[in-house]
Amino acid sequence: MVRRAMVTGAAGRIGRAVLTLLAERGIEANALVLDDPGDLAARLVVTGDAADAKTVRAALEGADAVIHLAAIPTPARNTAFEVFAGNSLSTFTVLEEAGRAGIRHAAVASSWGVTGLPWTDAEDPHPPYAPVDEAMASQVADPYGLSKQVDELTAQMMARRHGMSVVCLRYPYVGGFEERLHEHAARLTADPAAGARDLWTYLEVHDAARAALLALDVPGRAAHSVHLCAPEIIVPYPTEELLRRYHPGTVLRRPLPGRTAPVDTSAARELLGFTARNLLDHGAVAPR
């Protein structure tokens, strides 16, 4: 049973939701952040870079589990060198220091970006089949997606090196309903093409936090990668019609009735016991 978790990126969208959920469950939290906002629900707050070993060691004080969320979340606002090097080194550092400290359970924020679909420069990237699963070959052509591929390889190495259980959570577009999901849904409802690279998937932030905590209960000495998303797409259109229009070469491996998400989340259900609970109410969404 987890008694204290160290959370990197604790001041971020998912990080704050994780801290709230930890507190609700009576689990102490250590927070590692670049800057302390002064309002984090954590027993210990350490400021600094998750790629710095000394900083990470300080943040791990008394922890018996790690939730690593800190990352540059897009290739668009930093140089390619900063994105790849920063993300890859921080994951290596956090897991290496956790392993050295005797911690055997970790959750790592991976991303839908590991597929390569969101940011590749190739014209009109398409998944070869749907629903997409963890075995689909990546089309990565950007430093962020590459960093997430490396994160997942790092997790596999650390599981062997330290006898850890590490779960890499492939998050899609994450947000709160009032914070940004309603706005996002309205934008994509008006322009479905804007959501084609993400296959119109999303996950509510409290579900994202719950998945991270469930990942800490996975036993064994292995690394796993799982896709996460709500069971229905974020726009009020039939999934198969959208795929025919925007991904005409994608092969349907099974029917996707109604607004079924074209991503296979069975691995998350089987490994974590996770199914998204908080679903968008389309009656509250008005297209722009």
Side-chain angles (χ1 to χ4, degrees):
M1 178 180 176
V2 176
R3 292 182 173 83
R4 186 184 302 172
M6 193 273 274
V7 183
T8 73
R13 178 175 289 106
I14 301 174
R16 285 180 176 274
V18 164
L19 292 182
T20 297
L21 189 55
L22 288 171
E24 290 174 356
R25 298 188 178 182
I27 301 172
E28 292 185 335
N30 294 353
L32 174 55
V33 291
L34 283 173
D35 298 292
D36 184 0
D39 63 349
L40 297 179
R43 172 190 170 276
L44 171 68
V45 177
V46 174
T47 59
D49 193 334
D52 178 72
K54 184 177 179 180
T55 299
V56 172
R57 284 195 294 272
L60 286 170
E61 178 189 329
D64 55 6
V66 166
I67 298 175
H68 175 48
L69 305 171
I72 298 172
T74 166
R77 295 193 296 267
N78 297 76
T79 69
F81 305 99
E82 291 168 339
V83 172
F84 175 75
N87 288 354
S88 302
L89 183 56
S90 66
T91 299
F92 183 94
T93 304
V94 168
L95 293 181
E96 172 70 359
E97 291 301 324
R100 287 184 171 190
I103 292 171
R104 296 297 177 258
H105 293 275
V108 173
S110 187
S111 168
W112 173 251
V114 79
T115 65
L117 295 175
W119 289 293
T120 179
D121 289 333
E123 185 177 354
D124 295 329
H126 306 289
Y129 59 82
V132 169
D133 59 17
E134 291 79 10
M136 189 186 81
S138 176
Q139 301 179 48
V140 161
D142 70 276
Y144 174 78
L146 179 61
S147 75
K148 290 304 171 181
Q149 283 187 309
V150 171
D151 283 355
E152 294 189 4
L153 288 171
T154 299
Q156 293 172 27
M157 186 277 284
M158 292 297 181
R160 294 187 292 267
R161 178 174 172 84
H162 296 295
M164 302 174 74
S165 169
V166 187
V167 180
C168 298
L169 304 163
R170 293 182 176 181
Y171 286 122
Y173 188 94
V174 174
F177 291 130
E178 299 306 325
E179 176 241 351
R180 69 175 187 167
L181 282 183
H182 279 138
E183 180 181 3
H184 185 60
R187 183 172 68 88
L188 299 191
T189 296
D191 180 17
R197 288 177 176 237
D198 293 334
L199 300 188
W200 310 277
T201 57
Y202 74 97
L203 188 66
E204 194 272 336
V205 68
H206 295 95
D207 279 332
R210 184 166 54 86
L213 265 66
L214 286 169
L216 301 182
D217 293 331
V218 174
R221 300 157 59 95
H224 311 269
S225 297
V226 296
H227 282 299
L228 304 172
C229 67
E232 294 184 338
I233 58 176
I234 200 168
V235 292
Y237 309 123
T239 301
E240 291 189 9
E241 289 185 12
L242 290 170
L243 289 173
R244 282 195 295 269
R245 180 175 180 183
Y246 296 103
H247 299 291
T250 298
V251 175
L252 287 185
R253 288 187 164 180
R254 67 169 185 258
L256 297 169
R259 294 172 42 243
T260 300
V263 176
D264 184 350
T265 57
S266 61
R269 184 171 61 253
E270 293 165 6
L271 181 70
L272 309 179
F274 175 82
T275 301
R277 297 173 181 169
N278 302 311
L279 310 183
L280 189 73
D281 175 11
H282 276 276
V285 176
R288 288 181 173 179

